[in-house]
Amino acid sequence: MTPQASVLVPPNISWPALFSKLLPLVLLLLLQARWGCCHPQCLDYKPPFGPQQPLVFCKEYTKFGCCDLSKDEEISSRFYTIMDNFDHSGFTTCGKYIRSILCQECSPYAAHLYDAEDANTPMRVLPGLCRDYCSDYWWECRYTLSLLLEDLGNPPQFANLTSAIEEDHKRFCDVLELKDKQYCYPNVLTNAELNANLGLVREDPKGCLELCLQEVANGLRNPVAMIHADDGSHRFFVAEQLGYVWVYLANGSRIDRPFLNLTQAVLTSPWAGDERGFLCIALHPRITTVRKAYVYYSVSVKKEERIRISEFTLSAHDDNQLDHSSERTILEVVEPASNHNGGQLLFGHDGYLYIFIGDGGRAGDPFGKFGNAQNKSALLGKVLRIDVDNNDDGAPYSIPSDNPFIGESGAWPEIYAFGVRNMWRCSIDRGDPATGAGRGRMFCGDVGQNKYEEIDLIVKGGNYGWRAKEGFSCYDRKLCQNSSLDDVLPIFAYPHKLGKSVTGGYVYRGCQMPNLNGLYIFGDFMSGRLMSLKEDVATGEWQYNEICMGRDQTCRFPKLINSYYRYIISFAEDEAGELYFLATRVASATARAGVIYKIVDPSRRAPPGKCSIKPLPVKIKGKLIHFYPKEALTTTWAPYSSQKPTVTPTQKQKTPASTTAPGARDDKPSPGKKLASAAEGNQVHKRPRGRGGHGSKKRRGGKRRPAGTVRLVSADGSSDRGRVEIFIRGEWGTVCDDLFTGKAGSVVCRQLGFTTALAVMKRAVLGAADRRVRILLDDVECDGGERSLLDCKRSRVGKHNCSHEEDVGVICA
């Protein structure tokens, strides 16, 4: 595919008359050199990749670049079409230049070579060359420029424009040169610094892994858990601490009816830091046939606080709702204090249900001689394993025959492991996609007391040391010196200078980001720090790296951001294995400040087509609420990178410096607001302005739509990209791409609630309108500060010399 984001000239212009007018525009489109720090990026605004099949023509990019085999074949075809104009001598002399220039679409730095990274500049028609290389090209093959431009879809008359450039060496290279000597071709191939770690996760000078995020849900009240059904639908289910569970479809929209509403039963409060509440949900691994779900929540029974594990059955009439009347209590455990409630449910690969319960609260596990965690006659401070299959006609669960303490006197047979303090967020490794290595491993984050947070691998019968030990260190020295302790040490522990409340994560096993395979990603609730561990298979040791948000242009891809809310409550994976984390700006069960972020590696993606999914259809009862990223975050958090927290000018309140969430430490809760109504749903974010029904003249309430209102029209309904349409004189119409730059694009994007335009797409790349739709604006030139396109320099409304093949589109960010 040729780069069509810019067009040099409209096809129906009178060439001789407008030659002098168009030549500066041609120079602008070819030149547009720009200084700055750049990153690997393709012309489709996505990271480069390793092709699944070796390239045949542009072989230098066969390991890593922006072309797959089909694109390589397309470039090869274009090359030989151009070279049909040459005799043998010309082919030998000029073929190397033509090939090299065409193959730069495959370069991992293609976006920079074509100046496609900056929305405020048009994309170059040809890649930027180094001055010396351009000089050699001019001396040997200067007259091939017109052939290259004709190949890119420009009319034959374009030769008249290029002839003046081809005759002048200085003008020729002024047009083709990329001023950035590091990134121009061919220097970009030989720059040792740029190519040393090309395709690997980018690191900052301190070794912090630079990743990016994509916001996928917002307006949530302390989102404590996100799970998937593993049924081919690629739905995910999000639980709020207040007691709601919501269903999100694969396209990001949410069903307006809750999957579960336990707000009347759940014990929690609006206090910032209250650890009680709805804490977890797990779907039966055979949900399509067994049709059961299990929940973990706090409850008050006769003024006694308890943990309740319950079973629900799916509604007979709606697979997106549980039958609220079907609740069956599986297990209840009395909680002596309001903190350390644990709160994890998992189905293992063995089909059994694992339950992770805290030590009962307070500080130092003060219950009994050795504390609850070391006492196998108590269920607190334990990992339990039970069998909930075939329980319809009998007891709510049975004990797996190989549970480790079945025969031990005084021990609960449900216990699978013990000596845990307050495990907050556990996960099971899917295993390496190719080899299966690591499959079934169970990772947990165990919140510490005064000094250390730890990550554990859970094994059958394991004693994880609490309260004798905290991390690798002794906490109760007398218990710690007991030779019979025989505890399982953490795989990693970190001191409280890094964070004070660990949030366990997942091992990445998805498809979209191959660099992250095998990386265990977790975080800390209190510090907002994202962290990672990577196992050295040879030694069994785990290497630690912090994760920070990408700096400079690292995250300048569509939909990506490089900041997040500080309080990291939970991690999750979707059905395809992609990773997410759930965070909030205000750690209160009633504050609509929770956001779900997808973790994205901007350095490398999977090859096109490898990770395609086709979600099974889902029958919906009720309405769908479409997702839009938050138009303005008040305070976001990007710790441990050079990025400052983003603060909007109108709201500059700071994020609380220390707040506790479910699974956190012993800080006392503080009074807060009253509980929200139990009937409330998630926050519904209004659609951006100008996205109403086609051709409507009035909005709700009879108010007339203002002239100059814009909208983006796309085939897939995307809110952040599409063909630009403007409302003038009672009708919607399109805008021609002549003179339309990133400044005009930013005017459009700001009207729609976005910050800026990431790219301007010309030649109807984002779709041409039906011929019945009028072209309303042409020759739009903006300074960037205008309120609408009508305030910009432009032709009269309805006057144009273009067709719908030149409808302009924008990508907003």
Side-chain angles (χ1 to χ4, degrees), residues 227 278-283 293-297 308-310 342-348 353-357 386 425-426 506:
I227 61 171
F278 188 100
L279 301 181
C280 201
I281 181 171
L283 302 181
Y294 298 85
V295 299
Y296 187 127
Y297 64 99
R308 177 178 290 170
I309 315 297
S310 287
Q344 182 72 55
L345 295 177
L346 281 178
F347 276 96
L353 179 63
Y354 290 77
I355 305 169
F356 300 78
I357 301 178
I386 61 175
R425 291 305 167 247
C426 304
Y506 281 79

Side-chain angles (χ1 to χ4, degrees), residues 114-135:
Y114 284 86
D115 206 30
E117 294 171 312
D118 189 351
N120 294 313
T121 59
M123 194 173 87
R124 298 174 66 102
V125 177
L126 296 176
L129 307 181
C130 300
R131 192 80 183 189
D132 291 345
Y133 184 84
C134 180
S135 293

Side-chain angles (χ1 to χ4, degrees), residues 45-122:
Y45 305 99
K46 296 179 181 178
F49 54 88
Q52 296 190 71
Q53 298 171 284
L55 305 187
V56 176
F57 186 70
C58 300
K59 294 180 180 179
E60 61 267 42
Y61 302 115
T62 198
K63 290 185 178 181
F64 187 68
C66 293
C67 292
D68 57 11
L69 185 58
S70 64
K71 180 69 175 178
D72 183 64
E73 292 171 348
E74 178 189 320
I75 292 174
S76 174
S77 176
R78 285 162 51 196
F79 170 79
Y80 286 108
T81 299
I82 292 173
M83 299 315 293
D84 283 343
N85 296 282
F86 293 81
D87 58 17
H88 181 268
S89 175
F91 192 106
T92 303
T93 303
C94 297
K96 59 184 179 182
Y97 292 105
I98 301 297
R99 179 191 172 281
S100 294
I101 289 171
L102 291 177
C103 281
Q104 292 321 295
E105 287 188 46
C106 299
S107 168
Y109 290 103
H112 184 64
L113 289 167
Y114 284 86
D115 206 30
E117 294 171 312
D118 189 351
N120 294 313
T121 59

Side-chain angles (χ1 to χ4, degrees), residues 4-5 44-45 712-716 718 720-725 759-769 804-812:
Q4 297 179 337
D44 62 358
Y45 305 99
L712 301 181
V713 179
S714 62
D716 61 359
S718 297
D720 64 342
R721 67 189 65 193
R723 179 179 67 250
V724 176
E725 292 192 0
V760 171
M761 307 299 287
K762 300 191 176 185
R763 299 297 289 175
V765 167
L766 295 181
H804 281 308
E805 292 182 356
E806 297 161 76
D807 285 345
V808 74
V810 298
I811 298 176
C812 297

Side-chain angles (χ1 to χ4, degrees), residues 527-606:
S527 68
R529 192 182 298 263
L530 287 168
M531 297 170 274
S532 72
L533 297 173
K534 181 80 171 182
E535 184 181 20
D536 183 329
V537 179
T539 64
E541 296 180 352
W542 293 79
Q543 177 185 348
Y544 169 78
N545 280 95
E546 290 184 23
I547 293 174
C548 50
M549 295 294 96
R551 303 164 299 151
D552 304 321
Q553 298 187 41
T554 303
C555 297
R556 287 195 63 178
F557 293 91
K559 298 185 180 181
L560 296 193
I561 57 177
N562 64 348
S563 59
Y564 58 90
Y565 284 153
R566 171 176 180 171
Y567 300 109
I568 302 171
I569 300 175
S570 189
F571 285 79
E573 66 177 359
D574 64 19
E575 191 167 345
E578 303 305 320
L579 289 196
Y580 304 76
F581 69 91
L582 293 61
T584 186
R585 179 173 54 87
V586 181
S588 166
T590 58
R592 296 182 183 276
V595 178
I596 300 177
Y597 302 99
K598 182 179 180 180
I599 297 172
V600 178
D601 173 22
S603 303
R604 176 190 288 263
R605 58 170 154 154

Side-chain angles (χ1 to χ4, degrees), residues 262 280 282 293-297 307-312 326-332 345 353:
L262 279 183
C280 201
Y294 298 85
V295 299
Y296 187 127
Y297 64 99
I307 292 166
R308 177 178 290 170
I309 315 297
S310 287
E311 175 187 271
F312 285 86
S326 68
E327 181 174 12
R328 181 188 190 189
T329 300
I330 298 292
L331 181 69
E332 282 190 354
L345 295 177
L353 179 63

Side-chain angles (χ1 to χ4, degrees), residues 645-671:
T646 303
V647 184
T648 59
T650 55
Q651 292 177 295
K652 295 191 176 181
Q653 71 252 36
K654 294 183 178 179
T655 303
S658 80
T659 313
T660 316
R665 292 179 66 250
D666 306 299
D667 299 4
K668 294 181 180 180
S670 57

